[in-house]
Amino acid sequence: MLIADSKREIELSHERCKVLGIKEDRIFSRKIIDDTELQEKFAQNRKLIVTAAPYIEQLINFVKGCNFFALLTDGEGCILNASGDEKILSEAFDLKMVPGAFMNEESIGTNAMSLVIKTGQPVQISGKDHFITAYHRWTCSAAPIKDNRGYLIGALNLTGYTQQVHPHTLGMVIAASNAIEEMAKVKEFNKLQNLNSKHIISIFNSMPLAIVTSDISGNIKIHNNKAVELFGNTDNQLKAKEMKYLVEDWDRVKNEICLGKSISQEINIMTLRSRFPCRLIANTVYNPEDDNIEIVHVFEEAQKAKKKNEYQAYYTFDKIIGENENFLKIIQYAKKIADSKSTILILGESGTGKEVFAQSIHNYSSRMDGPFIALNCGAIPNQLIESELFGYEEGAFTGAKKGGNLGKFELANGGTIMLDEIGEMPLDMQTKLLRVLQEGVVTKIGSSKTISVDVRVIAATNKDLKKEVEMGRFRKDLYYRLNVLPLYLPPLRQRKEDILLLIKYFMGNISEKLNKKEVEIHEEYLNAMLSYSWPGNIRELENVIELIINTESVPSGYFGQEEKNNDVLLSINKECLNMEHIEKEHLEKVLKKYKGNITRSAQALGIRRNTLYSKIRKYEIEV
């Protein structure tokens, strides 16, 4: 039985088949692709196959037991899926109507699918309407599947024996193809929505201001990454579920919003670390999806007078590199104690990163906007350490600066002081430091007036202070006063899994700073570096990487390995790792090139003649 106006299409198709040389006794399609090509077809039409599958299954279940089979083709007529009742489906398979066979007119003559491909319209043909005799037993109903732009992307066909097919069969196929088209549109729309959503989320998370939305009761809905950072949370989640846990005096703010007021005011926010002021801008918006009113809160940190000088701590915990499990626990412990008022004693070998941790602790505390003062107790002469720590009044001693001088404790007021190499502090100074820790006051040299200071003390040492106490070189009472919150940093040899991470970091960071290319380190040298004990710890590793970048080679014998080719190898002693050694060598080369001419050498080096003379004297270079 034919759909109206399709008889002429069938006649034209038969005429084309004769011109194409297709014989009526043909059994198989002229074009059947191999498995490799078929897999490519499946990949190209994956969306169509997946979208159509449930509707084809529903269609087959509806006519189950009535000897029908369904075919899904792509826009060129290649069969992508075949399913149906076993008896009639096996007949179709005998005729090689299988995935990979083409049902277009040029390959197998007139059939419902070939007409759909030609006309883009649904059609039902029966018996001798098919060009080849092998299909005369069947009635085929097919409908096009088009994309959202109206382009043909496939055809759905339902075939049964001629005597069992009803005109309504075509209606079922059309309904199924329409459903497939609609679902494809929905999926495409959802995909675009998802892309748009990801785009919006990306913009939302890249904004420099913290944004939190809530319902009118204050239950938090969504937030951006800046909000997580501001409120001191981890895992990209806010731990608080309600605004009252983020904003001090939230009920007052909420009442003002409910009265229709636009909020733009200074408020205190509550974070894991502390309370501090922020500017809150809050407005209500209507959410049509949930049909309710939401509040959008925008938080901007209040601008404080930060010391953008040598007293500003640079390092934060997120700049600390490491994956060693024990080391990560140490970082978490350091975060927990960061906001305490108690004194911290950082213990560890030289080069393990004690000042990095001290700065990170300061920046993780409520004192983060205050000064961070570091003083190396071992680098200051004994007679000067008191004036460095506590300051002095004008005229306190010969050579005292006019107007006097502030000590490090006064400079650190409201912030943190790090006393590095505390084990080197003289005993008489230990007594005075103990008083500061106990009473919170300092007295300048030449003054009887006490000055109150609010300073968090972090001490650090590479010595065993317990042994120093036993040997009478360190006060026991000061040791216990300092050792309230001990923090032990492991040597690099106990963090083997972090060595490659540090190498990669220093290689990228130092090469960029020096404007030099990164140097590839061969695997055998990497293995040697992993096995090396690194007595100088991270500082030694950093110096070695800087040496490798400058010389574009690995120092032979340094790690105990045999000398093998890694670009140009240099026999460099450990004593030569100091950057002054490299500077001296470079100066000698330049001076030699210009035959001792100071003016030309200074021009080549990009420094002044006086500076070059100073360096020649410093390094005792013969000109």
Side-chain angles (χ1 to χ4, degrees), residues 347-392:
L347 305 160
E349 296 177 8
S350 294
T352 51
K354 293 188 285 294
E355 183 167 350
V356 171
F357 264 80
Q359 288 193 25
S360 299
I361 288 169
H362 171 80
N363 278 330
Y364 202 75
S365 74
S366 56
R367 296 174 179 267
M368 61 187 293
D369 291 323
F372 176 89
I373 306 291
L375 180 72
N376 188 324
C377 300
I380 300 171
N382 291 353
Q383 62 269 30
L384 295 180
I385 192 165
E386 184 177 0
S387 63
E388 281 292 318
L389 283 172
F390 308 132
Y392 57 82

Side-chain angles (χ1 to χ4, degrees), residues 581-603:
H581 173 81
I582 295 171
E583 184 177 43
K584 179 183 177 182
E585 282 193 340
H586 185 59
L587 290 171
E588 288 174 334
K589 288 177 183 176
V590 174
L591 286 164
K592 185 178 179 180
K593 179 177 179 179
Y594 292 103
K595 299 177 181 178
N597 186 304
I598 299 297
T599 302
R600 294 182 65 195
S601 297
Q603 288 174 345

Side-chain angles (χ1 to χ4, degrees), residues 231-250:
F231 291 103
N233 288 266
T234 56
D235 303 324
N236 292 325
Q237 294 295 323
L238 285 180
K239 287 196 167 97
K241 301 299 180 187
E242 299 177 50
M243 292 302 300
K244 65 182 181 182
Y245 298 118
L246 299 182
V247 176
E248 213 170 61
D249 201 12
W250 159 250

